[in-house]
Amino acid sequence: GSFNLRLYLSEGKPGQSITNAQITVTDKNDNVKLNIADGGPMLFLHLENGRYKISAQHNGITILRNVVIANHRGTNVYLNWKNLEADTEASVDEVQSQAI
């Protein structure tokens, strides 16, 4: 209940959990809130309400997500490295805070 940003990391179509991703979370002013070299398969954070950027790198492929934390229930973000072999950077998606 005290974690309002929950990251779930996996790869491949079946969603095999991974543990060796570089994860960086920054706020709207580019202040680093988290920088971890060996994150996963789950990472739970408590952040103030606001906009954040998530950068997650695994096997040389980076996934970027923008997320808005707007309530205490928080947001789940699923990062899956599937079919990204040809890309060096995935597209940026906006994830809105959602009640769970």
Side-chain angles (χ1 to χ4, degrees):
S2 62
F3 302 108
N4 58 4
L5 178 60
R6 295 169 295 276
L7 306 177
Y8 300 91
L9 289 71
S10 62
E11 72 178 337
K13 190 173 182 177
Q16 180 76 21
S17 295
I18 60 169
T19 60
N20 58 347
Q22 169 72 38
I23 308 292
T24 304
V25 178
T26 56
D27 65 14
K28 66 180 181 180
N29 297 318
D30 290 328
N31 296 313
V32 175
K33 297 297 182 178
L34 174 77
N35 188 18
I36 188 166
D38 197 18
M42 296 178 288
L43 187 60
F44 294 0
L45 305 167
H46 177 78
L47 300 171
E48 294 179 12
N49 287 350
R51 293 182 168 276
Y52 296 91
K53 296 175 189 173
I54 300 167
S55 173
Q57 184 177 25
H58 174 65
N59 287 339
I61 299 170
T62 301
I63 296 176
L64 301 173
R65 295 287 188 268
N66 291 322
V67 63
V68 176
I69 303 297
N71 60 48
H72 294 288
R73 292 186 179 198
T75 300
N76 294 328
V77 177
Y78 300 92
L79 303 169
N80 181 277
W81 284 262
K82 62 180 176 184
N83 301 322
L84 297 177
E85 296 83 17
D87 298 334
T88 56
E89 190 169 285
S91 63
V92 177
D93 293 338
E94 181 90 9
V95 178
Q96 294 294 329
S97 182
Q98 57 190 359
I100 55 172

